[in-house]
Amino acid sequence: MSDVRHVLVLPDREAAEEAAEAVAERFGIDEEPRVVRDALAGEDDAEDVQWLVVLRDQDELLDPAELDAFAEEWDGWREEP
């Protein structure tokens, strides 16, 4: 069993929180996704942050292509591990 994590990068907190709720419903995830604030390196402005939705996929059941399409619905993307 591995400890695979998927990270969806979203433009703002509202999108991240909504996506975290929706991803759990759409993909049947048991463990609640974590929403994390990520300040961009070298940026002092509080507006220059990204919000991450971290999904744990220990059984490797989530399809990266489906997660890519899902993240795009929220104007975001999935980071490659």
Side-chain angles (χ1 to χ4, degrees), residues 10-75:
L10 299 164
D12 59 54
R13 183 179 187 163
E14 184 177 339
E17 289 174 345
E18 290 176 9
E21 287 181 29
V23 76
E25 292 174 13
R26 183 177 301 181
F27 295 99
I29 298 170
D30 292 333
E31 185 177 322
E32 187 170 330
R34 288 187 321 138
V35 175
V36 179
R37 180 181 182 268
D38 183 39
L40 298 176
E43 298 294 335
D44 294 328
D45 190 346
E47 295 297 314
D48 292 327
V49 298
Q50 297 172 328
W51 288 84
L52 310 178
V53 176
V54 181
L55 310 168
R56 194 160 167 244
D57 186 18
Q58 72 182 32
D59 296 325
E60 298 184 47
L61 299 175
L62 298 174
D63 180 354
E66 289 181 25
L67 290 173
D68 287 339
F70 178 83
E72 288 175 12
E73 292 175 25
W74 303 96
D75 295 324

